[in-house]
């Protein structure tokens, strides 16, 4: 039986069995390796076979995380990176001022230089392909606010030359570019904001609208010559009323112009009932819905926390949850604990891939969601 199992796994890895089609294809595969198709196989064996297939697919896939928070990066982070299977990720750097932003970029430059056997500084899509070939991880520099621009469009050139390749136009609050998702008003982009978008397009800096207010989201898509992205967000249709979610119309408008939406792994963003109704399956529900609205080429994945997960980095009710009760408005509906267990660990996207497989996604579509859609977007947005 063990030899039969190995033969089955070999066939699956060659593509003889595609996701969601185990029942219809199993008989012919069993006959081809001289196993009686009427023999009762255990559910455990079938589960193991499908898991082996998805694990082989995941190992082959180019996996890109739309947003990792690298604060406190240490030896545990590198260990988690080994377990993750990542080919690359977008990293969120300090955006308080131009000085702090450049200092943080310098720290990451040094980290990558000192760990060149593991990390690659990414400035183009090709860097992610090279990282996969060399069994390394590409790191794309960016910011979750534009405050480090201060009052000068010219600072975008400084940031670009230092390696910046994505900028979220606003965080939750209003800044000089426009209104954020929890701002009292919803006035969209300012003249300065439109000028910033135009210069970001010219340089090849991705426009991210994840935390932007509704009108700022629409303006960012409208005024950008290239597709804008929501690099870590969720579907308003499934989590109604949350200020960080995106409506079906926003998702479709984004996709129609070539953008991409990264589905956020932060549990309390996915649904209001963590630990009961909000689960890994709920997370994949958001992927399903986004694919339905945007199309299969415009949906990816994004964590929005440290690569090893929140619990592993020491998040507690006192140091994580309580401060957010005052940092965010009540509409954020912060919950404790904030994570979905299967997503709060380095191999989160392997777990996602298994659910996508069970739901009938093809091998190619799973690979798109895991990273190829991000790669496509990078090719169309970043300049060499």
């Amino acid at each position: 039986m063990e030899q039969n199992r190995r033969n089955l796994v070999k066939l699956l890895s060659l593509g003889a069995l595609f996701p969601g089609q185990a029942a219809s294809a199993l008989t012919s595969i069993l006959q081809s390796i001289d196993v009686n198709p009427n023999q009762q196989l255990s559910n455990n064996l079938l589960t193991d076979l499908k898991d082996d297939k998805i694990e082989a697919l995941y190992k082959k896939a180019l996996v890109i995380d739309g947003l990792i928070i690298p604060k406190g990066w240490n030896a545990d982070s590198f260990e988690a990176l080994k377990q993750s299977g990542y080919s690359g990720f977008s990293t969120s750097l300090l955006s308080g001022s131009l000085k702090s932003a450049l200092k943080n970029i310098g720290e990451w430059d040094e980290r990558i230089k000192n760990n060149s056997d593991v990390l690659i500084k990414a400035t183009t899509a090709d860097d992610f392909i090279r990282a996969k070939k060399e069994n390394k991880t590409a790191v794309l520099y960016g910011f979750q606010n534009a405050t480090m621009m201060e009052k000068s469009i010219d600072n975008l050139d400084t940031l670009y030359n230092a390696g910046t390749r994505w900028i979220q136009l606003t965080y939750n609050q209003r800044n000089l570019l426009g209104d954020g998702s929890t701002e009292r008003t919803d006035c969209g982009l300012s003249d300065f904001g439109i000028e910033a978008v135009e210069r970001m397009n010219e340089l090849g800096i991705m426009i991210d609208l994840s935390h932007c207010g509704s009108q700022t989201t629409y303006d960012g898509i409208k005024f950008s010559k290239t597709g804008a992205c929501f690099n870590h967000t969720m579907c308003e249709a499934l989590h109604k009323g949350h200020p960080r979610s995106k409506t079906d119309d926003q998702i479709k408008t984004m996709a129609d112009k070539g953008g991409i939406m990264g589905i956020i792994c932060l549990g309390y963003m996915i649904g209001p009932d963590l630990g009961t109704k909000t689960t890994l399956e709920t997370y994949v529900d958001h992927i399903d819905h986004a694919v339905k609205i945007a199309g299969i080429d415009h949906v990816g994945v994004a964590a929005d926390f440290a690569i090893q997960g929140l619990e592993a980095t020491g998040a507690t009710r006192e140091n994580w949850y309580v401060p957010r009760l005052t940092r965010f408005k009540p509409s954020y509906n912060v919950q404790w604990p904030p994570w979905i267990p299967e997503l709060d660990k380095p191999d989160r996207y392997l777990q996602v891939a298994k659910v996508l497989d069970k739901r009938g996604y093809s091998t190619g579509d799973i690979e798109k969601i895991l990273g190829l859609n991000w790669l496509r977007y990078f090719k169309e947005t970043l300049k060499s």
Side-chain angles (χ1 to χ4, degrees), residues 30 60 89 99 104 191-192 196 200 211 215 230 281 324 327 355 368 373 381 384:
L30 290 172
K60 177 175 73 73
F89 60 85
K99 182 178 179 181
N104 203 194
D191 290 343
F192 183 71
M200 288 166 67
H211 279 258
Q215 190 57 49
F230 313 145
E281 296 287 341
R324 281 164 173 77
R327 187 183 308 168
V355 180
K368 284 183 177 183
N373 286 340
T381 309
S384 58

Side-chain angles (χ1 to χ4, degrees), residues 6 30 55 60 69 105 111 127 150-151 185 196 215 303 362:
R6 288 196 293 268
L30 290 172
E55 287 171 7
K60 177 175 73 73
I69 308 299
I105 286 175
R111 180 173 291 119
D127 291 320
E150 298 176 346
K151 297 181 180 180
T185 55
Q215 190 57 49
S362 71

Side-chain angles (χ1 to χ4, degrees), residues 76-93:
D76 289 341
S77 305
F78 280 108
E79 182 57 37
L81 192 60
K82 290 180 186 177
Q83 301 170 28
S84 71
Y86 285 12
S87 304
F89 60 85
S90 294
T91 189
S92 177
L93 303 181

Side-chain angles (χ1 to χ4, degrees), residues 46-47 50-51 53 57 90 103 124 130 134 144 158 231 242 272 296-297 324 337 346:
L46 291 177
T47 299
K50 288 180 70 64
D51 285 350
K53 172 177 66 70
L57 168 66
S90 294
K103 180 176 183 291
T124 70
R130 179 165 67 91
E134 297 178 6
Q144 284 197 74
T158 301
N231 81 356
H242 199 289
I296 190 61
D297 296 321
R324 281 164 173 77

